[in-house]
């Protein structure tokens, strides 16, 4: 969720885990930031029973469920170094200037993951 005290976005980042996400019901919108990509900021719509969204290691990500909720299955692939404790790191944009600058100054590219 957002940091309500500062009205700032919060992201997860996994250094030893890749997420592979499939919406089972409802839909969810993801915001992905990876400074190693040619374009660093994406807004991705994951539709129910659509395509699988792969979030590579080292990608800041956050998601917002549809108003009526959503169920998303994650088939995560974790390295031997990864654990639940080490991989669920929350980063607040207020604490990361580069992340904050990206959110405030770059328009995310929009992608939709669904089957037509």
């Amino acid at each position: 969720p957002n940091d309500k005290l500062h009205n700032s976005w919060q992201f997860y980042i996994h250094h030893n885990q890749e997420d592979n996400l499939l919406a089972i019901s409802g839909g969810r919108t993801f915001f992905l930031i990876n400074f190693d990509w040619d374009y660093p900021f994406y807004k991705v719509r994951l539709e129910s029973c659509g395509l699988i969204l792969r979030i590579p290691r080292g990608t800041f990500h956050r998601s917002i469920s549809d108003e009526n909720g959503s169920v998303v299955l994650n088939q995560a692939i974790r390295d031997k170094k990864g654990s639940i404790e080490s991989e669920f790191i929350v980063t607040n944009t207020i604490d990361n200037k580069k992340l904050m600058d990206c959110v405030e100054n770059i328009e995310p590219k929009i992608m939709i993951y669904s089957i037509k």
Side-chain angles (χ1 to χ4, degrees):
N2 289 342
D3 174 347
K4 293 184 180 171
L5 179 63
H6 300 101
N7 193 30
S8 57
W9 283 13
Q10 297 187 116
F11 288 83
Y12 282 112
I13 186 168
H14 308 305
H15 295 289
N16 298 291
Q17 176 176 309
E18 171 186 290
D19 288 343
N20 295 281
L21 304 161
L22 174 68
I24 302 298
S25 69
R28 195 175 289 189
T29 302
F30 286 81
F31 296 87
L32 310 175
I33 296 177
N34 190 316
F35 297 111
D36 292 332
W37 294 341
D38 289 339
Y39 195 89
F41 191 16
Y42 287 85
K43 180 179 178 180
V44 180
R45 175 77 183 151
L46 193 59
E47 299 281 352
S48 178
C49 299
L51 300 174
I52 293 172
L53 172 61
R54 181 181 155 270
I55 302 177
R57 292 162 181 80
T59 301
F60 291 98
H61 58 284
R62 61 180 273 126
S63 66
I64 300 170
S65 286
D66 286 355
E67 187 174 311
N68 294 324
S70 65
V71 175
V72 174
L73 175 66
N74 183 7
Q75 183 64 49
I77 300 170
R78 191 175 295 146
D79 297 345
K80 290 180 184 178
K81 292 188 261 177
S83 67
I84 289 175
E85 293 79 19
S86 71
E87 294 310 301
F88 288 89
I89 300 166
V90 177
T91 303
N92 191 323
T93 54
I94 205 152
D95 298 322
N96 186 312
K97 182 175 177 3
K98 190 172 183 179
L99 194 58
M100 176 72 89
D101 287 345
C102 184
V103 169
E104 289 184 341
N105 299 313
I106 297 176
E107 189 68 29
K109 286 190 179 181
I110 298 173
M111 301 177 73
I112 299 174
Y113 274 64
S114 65
I115 298 175
K116 294 183 180 185

